[in-house]
């Protein structure tokens, strides 16, 4: 009897210890997760995690100007005003057949172009070549770049910048979608917008 009682007590003790250990570890894991979430929140005050569909973002329309524009409409998806990112920003647009991004360079910002659909001819620094859907173009700061849609369908293009700046140029030379059409960007305005956006055309 004693041997049976002893075994029963040992089993109950083992089960009790296993339960306590599980509760302690679960509590520790939860505390760690809470601490990580709190740290992430403290490290990025004012930021908002975003999940965006293809057509979600800040829709804008370019104002008419002397320099050719690739398309009338574009979207700013993530930046200081959309999501609160202080370090990078993302936009997207569809460039119709024959549409062109005028030759320009960004001052102090790297850019990556993701060509999601269509075909284009790209001039980048001293290089030039034809690219197709799925192509990536890396544009280091202070590198001249231009692009033309050479295909029969629109190019779906996403552009990612390492630092804010050019988003200011984009807003400066456009109006929110749905606003009444605005006046042509004057030469003086265009110069001021380039300065604001750290870009040179």
């Amino acid at each position: 009897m004693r041997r049976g009682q002893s075994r029963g007590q040992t089993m109950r003790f083992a089960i009790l210890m296993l339960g306590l250990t599980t509760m302690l570890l679960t509590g520790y894991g939860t505390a760690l997760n809470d601490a990580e979430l709190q740290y992430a929140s403290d490290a990025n005050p004012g930021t908002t995690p975003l999940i965006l569909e293809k057509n979600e973002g800040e829709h804008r329309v370019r104002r008419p100007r002397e320099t050719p524009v690739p398309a009338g409409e574009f979207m700013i998806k993530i930046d200081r005003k959309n999501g609160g990112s202080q370090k990078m920003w993302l936009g997207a647009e569809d460039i119709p057949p024959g549409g062109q991004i005028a030759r320009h360079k960004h001052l102090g910002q790297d850019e990556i172009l993701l060509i999601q659909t269509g075909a284009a001819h790209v001039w980048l620094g001293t290089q030039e070549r034809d690219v197709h859907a799925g192509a990536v173009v890396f544009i280091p700061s202070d590198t001249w770049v231009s692009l033309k849609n050479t295909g029969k369908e629109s190019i779906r293009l996403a552009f990612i910048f390492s630092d804010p700046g050019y988003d200011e140029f984009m807003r400066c030379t456009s109006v929110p979608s749905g606003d009444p059409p605005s006046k042509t960007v004057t030469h003086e305005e265009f110069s001021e917008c380039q300065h604001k956006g750290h870009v040179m055309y």
Side-chain angles (χ1 to χ4, degrees), residues 86-99:
Q86 300 301 310
K87 298 179 182 177
M88 60 188 299
W89 74 278
L90 165 71
E93 66 183 313
D94 291 338
I95 301 175

Side-chain angles (χ1 to χ4, degrees), residues 19 27 31-33 51 70 87 96 103 105 130 133 152 164 186:
L32 272 181
N33 286 341
I51 298 174
K87 298 179 182 177
R103 185 173 181 266
K105 67 178 177 178
D130 292 323
K152 295 181 178 178
T186 66

Side-chain angles (χ1 to χ4, degrees), residues 52-64:
L52 301 173
E53 290 283 2
K54 175 182 170 181
N55 293 319
E56 292 179 319
E58 179 187 337
H59 292 257
R60 299 191 66 86
V61 179
R62 287 182 176 94
R63 294 167 55 198

Side-chain angles (χ1 to χ4, degrees), residues 135-155:
V136 173
V137 180
F138 170 56
I139 308 158
S141 172
D142 300 299
T143 303
W144 290 101
V145 64
S146 179
L147 176 148
K148 182 173 184 177
N149 183 344
T150 54
K152 295 181 178 178
E153 64 174 309
S154 288
I155 292 173

Side-chain angles (χ1 to χ4, degrees), residues 67-87:
T67 308
V69 295
E73 295 185 22
F74 66 93
M75 270 188 295
I76 296 176
K77 296 181 84 69
I78 298 166
D79 71 341
R80 290 171 286 186
K81 294 181 181 180
N82 301 286
S85 174
Q86 300 301 310
K87 298 179 182 177

Side-chain angles (χ1 to χ4, degrees), residues 158-187:
F159 41 93
I160 304 163
F161 284 83
S162 61
D163 295 284
Y166 192 62
D167 50 334
E168 293 302 322
F169 172 83
M170 299 284 275
R171 282 196 180 91
C172 185
T173 57
S174 67
V175 294
S177 227
D179 276 16
S182 60
K183 297 177 184 174
T184 300
V185 178
T186 66
H187 181 72

